[in-house]
Every structure is written in C-alpha cells, then in structure tokens.
Amino acid sequence: MTAPERFWNWLRGSRDNGTSVPGVHSLQRFRDLIARERAVSDRGGYEFSIVVFEPADTEGPDYAKPIANALRRRIRSTDTVGWFDEKVIGVLLPHTSAAGAWKLGSDIDALLKRGPAVTTLVYTYPNGSAESRPLVPPHSNDNGGDGNGVGSNGSAPGNNGSVKDRRGTGPELAKDGSSGEQTQYRAHRNSSDSLEPYFARPLPAWKRTLDIVGSITALILLAPLMLLIALAIRLTSRGPALFLQERAGRGNRPFRMVKFRTMIAGAEEIQSKLRERNERSGPAFKMKRDPRVTTVGRVLRRFSLDELPQFYNVLRGDMSLVGPRPLPFEESEICTGWLRRRLELTPGVTGLWQVSGRSEADFDEWVRLDLRYARGQSLLLDLKLLALTVPAVLVGRGAH
C-alpha cells in the first residue's frame, strides 16, 4: 500500500493489515465494496457470494500471493479480490449463487493443490442456508456429481461415492485422491446472518466514553428511584422485579437485556395468542391496551421508567446510550433485507425514533430513522438526542 493510501486510511480511521499484494484491494476498500454490493442486492433482490481463503500458515510476507495469483487466473472481470480480514483474502462474486461460489472454491483449491493447506469458506447473501460440509477438489469427484465439486443434490461429494453433510464449524479433513496426501479443507456455507458481524461497526472511542460516564452517573443518581420501583413491583404482583430477555445486539450477537418487569408472570407465552392483535407493522409487537401489563407496569411504561436498568447494559457494553432499540431475538430474525442493517450499530436506550414519535411510527419508518442516525452519528447528535429524550419521556409521548 502506498504512503498516500495509508495516510488516507489513517484520516478515515480505517484499519489496514499492512500487507500489499498486487490486485488485492485493501481491507477498508473491500469492506466498502461488499457493503455497496449488499445495498444493491437489497434493492434489486438478487444474491451474491463471497469466497474466503484462509491459509493454514500466515507467517512470512508472501503467504497470500499464491492465492491471489490463482484468483487472477480464474475470476471474471466483474469479480473483486480483497482482504476480507487482517490476514484472509476473499473474492466478491456479484450475481452468484452458493453453487457458483462452491465451483470457484473447488477450482482455486485445485490450482493450489501442491501448495499449503487452505481453509475455504463461502458466504451467500441474502438467501444462503446454514450448512457445513467438506470441500473436495474436482479431481477426486467420482460420485456422479456435476463435476463442479458439488454433488447431484447440492452437497459436496465424498471420495467414497457417498454424499457427506457434516455439521459444525470445525475443520474437516478430506482425502486428496490424486496424491494420497491428507489436505485440510473446511467449507462453511453460512446464511446471510453470518455476514452481520462483518458489517458491524465498531463503537467510536468518544461514544464508549460517553456511555461509561453517562451510565455510571445515571445508576448512581437514579438508585433510590430504582429501589422504590423494584419494591412497588414486588408488592403488587407475583414474580421478580427485573425482567431479562434475549435481544439482538450489534452484529446480531445476542445479549440479555434487563428491564423492570411490567407484565404478569408468563406474559411471553401469552403473546403468541395476541399476535393477531399487533398494532404495529413489521415483526415488533406492540398493543396500546395489552392485557398482560400490570397496573404499576402501565405507569412505568408511560414514562419509560421500565428502561432504567438498561444503564447496566450500557455500562457492560451490550448497549449504548443512543442507538437503535434492540428487538427480541426471535422478532429480529423475522427481519430481512435492508431492515437488518440496523444490526450494524450497537443498540441504544434512546434514539431518533423515541424523539420522533416513538412507538407511533411503523416499523419501516423506525428502521429508516435508525439508518438516518447511522449516517449522521456524532457526539453532538448523541448529546442532542439525549437532551430531547428527557421531555419526550416526561410527557409520555408515544409510549404505552
């Protein structure tokens, strides 16, 4: 990488693996290209794939050159090669299904058969299915498959003429029929979810500092109020004062969000019976007169006091003071396409949707507000949204 490129990446705050290989895009540039391809895919409704090649030995300056050279001999003019991670090369394949990506993986493996062992992974977006299987080079295909390293039913062929489908993410050992040597392969076909950690944005240092200072201050100042709320809940209904629920965090990583309990015991089991009465479009469930909510719970929800324990999640780093509201994990899984971009950010206690109508907005508009925040994220904007949250909470606008 040239000095101007390094300086530009430093100004942008982007990472660089420090390795320059001809024809291979830098880490940040490749991430940008994949993000752009995802946006085009979401709009056009087609799928694309990424094939990733992980050498077993990444020591030495030239370990990646054989892979880059093999890719230059095989890829189309529309394909793009770049650093997928710090020491891993990937190739972006527009308008390519998982089967086509496996074909490329098999071809590159055949070109590298006399070189070091390489772990091959395939990601498809958005229609992939979670599956792990051994990748066997084309020259060992003797099971009547299609000759592309993929069996007649879409699974990878084994050397004994049977189709093997192995679950798990650990490395698989496949026999190289031409040389009789043991070569390490792992092919992990992932759903679109598997790319979400890759798209996740790191929390800026200024934002994490604000989160730590703000959450500690809030927990200290609000401790007496939180104690009174906990007592009121325990004295008026059966069950614990706190409610823990698995939510989808940054990069679709699950975490346990803590709130004050506002519903009767067993409320989650009853929700399935109330699903048809959902008053919000999309996967998020909301009812103005939810029969599961307790008397104290209605007051807490009216003024968002049930959210106060989430300052603990902020202090832990699961959440931020400002960001998209985290959905329950099962509701988040229903989201598809561009709606899942909200998972790029660390979820927050408050955000644009709270000060712009809160639960009155439909789900698509809710996500659009999250993405608008993502584009303009700054310290000044976070401070502004925190200040606007206070009057929104005091008047109880949009809450129920």
Side-chain angles (χ1 to χ4, degrees):
M1 176 171 290
T2 63
E5 286 177 322
R6 291 181 183 277
F7 180 68
W8 174 242
N9 281 339
W10 177 78
L11 286 177
R12 296 177 65 191
S14 61
R15 298 182 301 158
D16 174 48
N17 59 352
T19 304
S20 179
V21 177
V24 180
H25 285 290
S26 68
L27 178 62
Q28 185 60 49
R29 175 60 176 161
F30 196 52
R31 285 180 180 269
D32 292 343
L33 290 171
I34 293 175
R36 176 181 174 83
E37 192 67 28
R38 181 179 61 155
V40 175
S41 172
D42 289 341
R43 180 172 292 272
Y46 70 86
E47 65 181 343
F48 68 89
S49 295
I50 303 170
V51 187
V52 178
F53 304 93
E54 298 182 356
D57 182 9
T58 57
E59 299 299 326
D62 298 327
Y63 72 89
K65 287 185 178 179
I67 299 174
N69 292 335
L71 285 170
R72 277 196 294 270
R73 294 169 56 186
R74 177 62 181 80
I75 63 174
R76 307 164 298 182
S77 59
T78 55
D79 302 334
T80 306
V81 180
W83 289 100
F84 184 79
D85 210 332
E86 296 292 341
K87 292 188 175 184
V88 177
I89 284 182
V91 55
L92 172 61
L93 308 172
H95 295 277
T96 303
S97 65
W102 284 114
K103 174 64 166 65
L104 175 66
S106 295
D107 289 350
I108 297 303
D109 176 75
L111 293 174
L112 297 172
K113 63 184 179 181
R114 299 189 183 279
V118 173
T119 296
T120 304
L121 299 95
V122 171
Y123 299 86
T124 58
Y125 184 93
N127 298 317
S129 59
E131 179 185 20
S132 294
R133 63 191 186 187
L135 176 66
V136 180
H139 54 261
S140 62
N141 179 13
D142 59 357
N143 73 329
D146 61 6
N148 295 333
V150 180
S152 57
N153 70 344
S155 296
N159 290 334
N160 60 357
S162 62
V163 175
K164 298 181 180 179
D165 182 10
R166 304 181 185 176
R167 302 294 169 180
T169 58
E172 301 284 357
L173 291 178
K175 187 78 170 179
D176 186 332
S178 62
S179 64
E181 298 175 350
Q182 286 285 345
T183 307
Q184 185 181 35
Y185 302 98
R186 183 185 65 186
H188 189 186
R189 179 183 177 187
N190 294 309
S191 67
S192 58
D193 293 355
S194 300
L195 280 174
E196 277 159 359
Y198 183 78
F199 292 125
R201 305 185 188 188
L203 203 64
W206 62 264
K207 192 170 178 63
R208 183 57 184 152
T209 301
L210 179 64
D211 289 344
I212 293 174
V213 174
S215 60
I216 291 177
T217 302
L219 288 170
I220 293 174
L221 295 180
L222 297 173
L225 175 60
M226 294 172 69
L227 179 59
L228 290 175
I229 292 173
L231 288 173
I233 295 172
R234 291 288 289 146
L235 291 173
T236 57
S237 62
R238 291 190 304 166
L242 296 177
F243 172 70
L244 281 75
Q245 186 179 51
E246 189 175 73
R247 299 278 178 126
R250 183 174 69 94
N252 204 36
R253 181 180 63 86
F255 72 98
R256 294 184 69 80
M257 191 181 79
V258 58
K259 301 176 64 174
F260 281 123
R261 181 175 59 83
T262 60
M263 293 185 176
I264 60 175
E268 290 184 294
E269 289 74 16
I270 301 174
Q271 180 173 314
S272 59
K273 301 177 182 179
L274 300 173
R275 174 58 67 177
E276 61 183 20
R277 296 169 60 185
N278 187 14
E279 297 171 4
R280 170 181 282 152
S281 63
F285 182 85
K286 189 69 70 174
M287 287 180 61
K288 286 185 178 180
R289 293 176 178 83
D290 195 324
R292 301 170 298 164
V293 180
T294 65
T295 302
V296 171
R298 286 192 179 89
V299 177
L300 298 180
R301 286 180 164 222
R302 176 70 177 172
F303 300 102
S304 298
L305 296 175
D306 58 321
E307 314 285 358
L308 295 182
Q310 289 166 37
F311 288 117
Y312 170 72
N313 288 116
V314 175
L315 185 60
R316 279 176 47 90
D318 298 325
M319 297 176 64
S320 180
L321 291 175
V322 181
R325 287 296 297 165
L327 288 176
F329 208 79
E330 63 275 9
E331 292 181 5
S332 179
E333 290 299 285
I334 300 173
C335 299
T336 58
W338 68 277
L339 296 175
R340 299 190 70 82
R341 292 189 208 170
R342 64 195 310 276
L343 296 171
E344 295 177 8
L345 300 178
T346 302
V349 176
T350 187
L352 267 178
W353 78 280
Q354 261 118 332
V355 301
S356 303
R358 303 171 75 196
S359 59
E360 294 162 353
D362 64 33
F363 187 71
D364 284 9
E365 182 60 26
W366 177 0
V367 177
R368 288 189 182 96
L369 290 172
D370 290 338
L371 299 183
R372 190 170 121 198
Y373 167 74
R375 290 192 294 270
Q377 186 177 218
S378 67
L379 175 60
L380 184 61
L381 179 59
D382 274 24
L383 293 175
K384 178 181 177 180
L385 292 176
L386 288 171
L388 291 174
T389 299
V390 175
V393 167
L394 291 178
V395 300
R397 176 162 49 88
H400 44 71

